[in-house]
């Protein structure tokens, strides 16, 4: 039996629930408008949250990066454990990025602020953002070849960065001395501090209006409400055991793939996500932290189950089983900087596929992997004359679903709130020029409803050289389809494409040298398909040919649809229905 929580009228509860979400949105807006680095202020690689006095997640922003929301279920409790409730005071702000207990990788920096009213702790606010560099071997600190976290930048345990509103300048000095472009990091720090302070003001305003007892009651009841919805969602699914797996392309030092294996058991109103058969730790930086694994389960559940406020209450309806030292529960000093794009994504993939088996009408093919590109060097142009780190990304296609195609070029579910960093801004701030940015033809995962198309981008370095690093995946194992849908197209990163010097850098390049005049091409995955491609409506295949998403040859070979060209310039094509029926019959027979 689920507790119903304290007595609070439903109208007040909804007013406060919406106020909490609005507060998170406002905190995110503060960070997005005042942070210095483009991945935060343009790309929105950030999240905010409100937690009750015990550190349980109450509310998140409506436009926050999903990858951060689930993991903060562990972040604030770790701060409480490390600092101690008895040591917390008004005006304090805490900072942490320790991946092994409370985060994803070292770049994701969390600021936590306790909120007091009449001398009593009543809540916490948080701000999380991806800093473009935190030190380490590689500019940008994303090093998929890292054998340990010592090669990936600063690991920061829970510490007090502000004590009773006084900044610890010694700590800040140590941090900035060990991070590239310290002025930019300081700007990001100040933005996040302003956000958690702004959240505190909003919570105290709600307390002044409604009273602390009502606000605390609402925080508790919101979690109970989400728990009831989660349990109802599981109760609506057929009891059973469902198996799924997804693989990272390779452990960089062995060349062998690493597989996440999930046995999902649904029984009545709860679910057990068992990853105990997952592969052991990798020698490179693709290991996932337990916070990242928890977040991956959290996100995939939110994508498949009916809508519900995703907070700590949802977690009460599930159990996650994992083995310490496996790729889904990294232990120090295992490398972890590439975990979000690799193993965490495969955690999400296995959960998505397993839940899709239990709920076919809500299932989807897997989305394309996110490619993270870091181009770094020293900009020698007279108007700049300074070091730079250009960190950007490339989205892929979404998976096909029960009754619609996947979206083209969209952020993966764990980064669905992230935005494209405009080409124009990158060209203005960094020594790069974009030559091409368009959809990749024939890159979808075929299906009755196809996956979305990936993107092909070509970036030139006409002014000078530098180094190029990338974290990606699915160059070897594309995004899986479901219920007969096929795998989406493969990712790749190529230098000097189409020339005698063409070089495949792979999706795990680290500090690869690039010369002045070089051109880089990176191509993201298409999403996995849903259902048998031979069941796709020929009219949809025709529309894809007209839109130049697919070629006539691809339509024939993949979907068994014969299309005749009447006038390409005027986009006039037609389906040969008789030939299509004959071809499809032959393809099914074979």
């Amino acid at each position: 039996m689920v507790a119903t929580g304290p007595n609070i009228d439903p109208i007040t509860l909804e007013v406060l629930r919406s106020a909490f979400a609005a507060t998170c949105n406002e905190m995110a807006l503060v960070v997005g408008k005042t942070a210095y680095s483009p991945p935060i202020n343009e790309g929105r690689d950030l999240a905010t949250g409100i937690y009750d006095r015990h550190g349980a997640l109450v509310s998140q922003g409506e436009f926050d990066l999903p990858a951060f929301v689930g993991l903060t279920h562990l972040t604030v409790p770790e701060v409480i454990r490390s600092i101690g409730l008895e040591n917390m005071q008004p005006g304090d702000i805490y900072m942490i990025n320790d991946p092994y207990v409370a985060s994803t990788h070292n770049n994701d920096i969390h600021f936590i602020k306790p909120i007091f009213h009449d001398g009593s702790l009543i809540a916490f606010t948080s701000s999380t953002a991806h800093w473009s560099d935190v030190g380490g071997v590689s500019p940008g600190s994303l090093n998929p070849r890292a054998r340990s976290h010592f090669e990936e930048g600063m690991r920061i345990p829970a510490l007090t960065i502000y004590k009773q509103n006084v900044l610890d300048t010694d700590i800040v000095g140590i941090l900035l001395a060990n991070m590239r472009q310290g002025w930019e990091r300081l700007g990001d720090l100040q933005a996040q501090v302003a956000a958690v302070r702004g959240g505190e003001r909003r919570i105290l305003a709600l307390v002044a209006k409604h009273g602390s007892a009502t606000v605390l009651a609402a925080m508790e009841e919101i979690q109970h409400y989400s728990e009831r919805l989660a349990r109802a969602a599981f109760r609506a699914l057929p009891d059973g055991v469902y198996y799924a797996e997804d693989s990272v392309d390779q452990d960089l030092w062995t060349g062998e793939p690493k597989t996440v294996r999930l046995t999902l058991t649904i029984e009545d109103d709860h679910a057990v996500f068992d990853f105990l058969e997952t592969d052991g730790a990798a020698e490179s930086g693709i290991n996932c932290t337990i916070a990242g694994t928890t977040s991956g389960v959290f996100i995939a559940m939110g994508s498949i189950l009916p809508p519900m406020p995703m907070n700590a209450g949802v977690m009460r309806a599930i159990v996650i089983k994992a083995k310490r030292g496996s790729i889904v529960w990294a232990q120090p000093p295992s490398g972890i900087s590439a975990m979000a794009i690799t193993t965490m994504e495969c955690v999400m993939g296995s959960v998505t596929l397993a839940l899709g088996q239990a709920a076919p009408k809500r299932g989807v093919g897997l989305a394309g992997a996110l490619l993270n590109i870091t181009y770094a060097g020293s900009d020698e142009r007279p108007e700049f004359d300074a070091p730079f780190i250009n960190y950007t990304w490339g989205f892929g296609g979404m998976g096909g679903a029960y009754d619609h195609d996947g979206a083209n070029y969209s952020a993966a579910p764990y980064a669905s709130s992230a935005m494209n960093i405009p080409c124009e801004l990158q060209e203005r701030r960094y020594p790069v020029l974009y030559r091409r940015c368009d959809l990749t033809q024939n890159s979808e995962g075929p299906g009755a409803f196809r996956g979305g198309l990936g993107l092909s981008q070509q970036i030139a370095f006409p002014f000078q050289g530098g180094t190029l690093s990338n974290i990606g995946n699915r160059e070897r194992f594309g995004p899986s389809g479901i219920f007969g849908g096929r795998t989406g197209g493969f990712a790749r990163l190529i230098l000097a494409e189409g020339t005698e010097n063409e070089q495949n850098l792979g999706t795990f390049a680290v500090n690869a040298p690039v010369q002045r005049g070089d051109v880089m091409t990176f191509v993201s995955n298409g999403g996995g398909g849903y259902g048998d491609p031979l069941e796709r409506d020929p009219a949809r295949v025709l529309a894809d040919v007209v839109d130049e998403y697919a070629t006539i040859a691809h339509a024939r070979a993949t979907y068994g649809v014969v299309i005749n060209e009447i006038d390409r310039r005027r986009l006039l094509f037609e389906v040969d229905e008789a030939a299509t029926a004959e071809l499809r019959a032959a393809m099914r027979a074979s």
Side-chain angles (χ1 to χ4, degrees):
M1 173 69 79
V2 179
T4 57
N7 185 22
I8 180 172
D9 72 87
I11 294 177
T12 301
L13 179 65
E14 181 59 22
V15 167
L16 288 171
R17 188 196 67 79
S18 298
F20 295 151
T23 297
C24 291
N25 291 342
E26 184 175 317
M27 287 194 288
L29 185 65
V30 168
V31 177
K33 292 293 185 182
T34 61
Y36 281 16
S37 55
I40 301 176
N41 59 37
E42 289 285 346
R44 293 190 61 84
D45 199 343
L46 57 87
T48 58
I50 295 172
Y51 308 79
D52 67 18
R53 53 189 166 175
H54 308 296
L57 178 64
V58 172
S59 185
Q60 58 177 293
E62 295 171 311
F63 311 102
D64 286 355
L65 198 80
F68 292 153
V69 176
L71 68 91
T72 51
H73 173 70
L74 301 177
T75 305
V76 180
E78 172 60 22
V79 170
I80 292 173
R81 187 196 66 78
S82 297
I83 303 295
L85 289 172
E86 70 281 4
N87 299 317
M88 295 181 174
Q89 300 180 59
D92 286 359
I93 299 178
Y94 313 112
M95 180 182 187
I96 185 173
N97 80 341
D98 190 341
Y100 303 101
V101 293
S103 190
T104 44
H105 51 200
N106 296 347
N107 293 75
D108 296 333
I109 309 293
H110 311 266
F111 288 84
I112 315 293
K113 189 172 196 326
I115 302 173
F116 291 83
H117 176 71
D118 288 342
S120 297
L121 178 66
I122 61 169
F124 294 86
T125 54
S126 80
S127 169
T128 301
H130 178 111
W131 286 14
S132 293
D133 187 274
V134 290
V137 172
S138 176
S141 311
L142 300 177
N143 181 5
R145 295 189 179 275
R147 291 186 182 271
S148 75
H149 70 81
F150 299 109
E151 302 174 60
E152 300 173 321
M154 298 197 71
R155 175 187 173 194
I156 306 167
L159 53 80
T160 306
I161 193 77
Y162 275 86
K163 188 66 176 177
Q164 294 181 281
N165 291 315
V166 177
L167 176 65
D168 191 323
T169 55
D170 291 340
I171 291 178
V172 173
I174 293 171
L175 294 174
L176 300 186
N178 286 277
M179 299 178 182
R180 299 169 181 87
Q181 294 185 294
W183 62 272
E184 193 172 84
R185 307 290 76 75
L186 181 60
D188 296 339
L189 182 154
Q190 292 169 330
Q192 292 183 258
V193 167
V196 294
R197 284 176 169 167
E200 177 188 45
R201 289 193 296 271
R202 294 303 188 200
I203 295 297
L204 291 178
L206 292 173
V207 168
K209 182 174 182 179
H210 298 278
S212 61
T214 300
V215 171
L216 293 177
M219 289 183 174
E220 185 176 344
E221 177 56 22
I222 287 169
Q223 295 175 61
H224 288 314
Y225 174 63
S226 290
E227 180 181 0
R228 292 194 295 271
L229 290 178
R231 292 189 181 278
F234 286 125
R235 197 179 294 115
L237 298 177
D239 286 358
V241 178
Y242 307 91
Y243 178 83
E245 63 180 49
D246 197 8
S247 296
V248 182
D249 283 349
Q250 61 174 313
D251 179 343
L252 274 294
W253 289 106
T254 68
E256 295 299 317
K258 284 289 187 177
T259 301
V260 174
R261 299 179 179 87
L262 168 66
T263 299
L264 167 64
T265 301
I266 298 176
E267 185 176 0
D268 190 31
D269 65 349
H270 65 280
V272 177
F273 295 85
D274 185 339
F275 295 98
L276 292 175
E277 297 304 314
T278 289
D279 284 352
E283 295 182 28
S284 57
I286 64 172
N287 298 287
C288 188
T289 64
I290 189 61
T293 294
T294 302
S295 187
V297 173
F298 200 71
I299 298 162
M301 283 174 54
S303 301
I304 300 296
L305 297 182
M308 66 187 73
M310 298 299 288
N311 56 45
V314 174
M315 303 303 291
R316 300 171 191 162
I318 70 171
V319 173
I320 298 174
K321 294 183 178 181
K323 186 182 297 181
R324 288 180 184 270
S326 68
I327 58 169
V328 296
W329 193 345
Q331 297 295 293
S334 292
I336 41 77
S337 61
M339 52 81 66
I341 315 303
T342 55
T343 301
M344 178 177 155
E345 182 180 81
C346 289
V347 168
M348 289 185 53
S350 60
V351 174
T352 299
L353 294 173
L355 278 174
Q357 296 170 42
K361 290 188 177 182
R362 302 191 69 88
V364 292
L366 300 189
L370 188 71
L371 297 178
N372 287 260
I373 305 290
T374 303
Y375 171 52
S378 181
D379 193 342
E380 299 171 359
R381 293 176 295 175
E383 64 270 33
F384 291 92
D385 192 24
F388 71 92
I389 300 174
N390 181 17
Y391 169 55
T392 187
W393 46 67
F395 300 144
M398 296 296 287
Y402 172 74
D403 58 0
H404 62 272
D405 294 338
N408 298 325
Y409 184 57
S410 298
Y414 59 86
S416 58
S417 63
M419 306 291 286
N420 180 52
I421 302 176
C423 305
E424 296 82 1
L425 182 141
Q426 294 180 59
E427 291 177 338
R428 179 168 179 80
R429 289 194 58 168
Y430 309 114
V432 300
L433 286 176
Y434 271 76
R435 292 271 188 86
R436 185 176 76 218
C437 186
D438 53 19
L439 294 173
T440 306
Q441 198 173 42
N442 302 334
S443 63
E444 89 289 359
F449 290 97
R450 61 163 175 78
L453 275 65
L455 196 74
S456 176
Q457 301 186 66
Q458 196 171 75
I459 304 176
F461 310 109
F463 304 109
Q464 63 195 70
T467 63
L468 190 66
S469 300
N470 178 49
I471 292 181
N473 195 28
R474 305 203 183 281
E475 184 178 21
R476 182 176 180 182
F477 304 110
S480 295
I482 190 169
F483 301 126
R486 297 186 194 169
T487 298
F490 300 101
R492 55 189 185 275
L493 178 65
I494 301 170
L495 197 63
E497 182 183 32
T499 73
E500 60 182 15
N501 297 319
E502 180 174 317
Q503 179 184 3
N504 179 16
L505 298 179
T507 55
F508 295 104
V510 179
N511 290 339
V514 295
Q515 307 299 323
R516 178 177 179 177
D518 279 347
V519 177
M520 173 192 71
T521 303
F522 68 102
V523 180
S524 59
N525 304 109
Y530 185 111
D532 185 351
L534 296 181
E535 298 299 324
R536 184 166 177 77
D537 185 346
R540 288 181 174 272
V541 179
L542 176 64
D544 285 345
V545 170
V546 171
D547 290 336
E548 297 185 343
Y549 292 170
T551 62
I552 290 177
H554 183 70
R556 182 187 184 98
T558 305
Y559 296 98
V561 176
V562 179
I563 295 177
N564 297 322
E565 177 184 324
I566 299 174
D567 187 337
R568 179 174 295 276
R569 186 180 63 83
R570 297 168 61 195
L571 299 178
L572 294 179
F573 303 85
E574 67 176 5
V575 174
D576 186 328
E577 296 182 2
T580 294
E582 182 180 350
L583 176 59
R584 283 186 160 184
M587 292 174 72
R588 289 188 181 99
S590 65

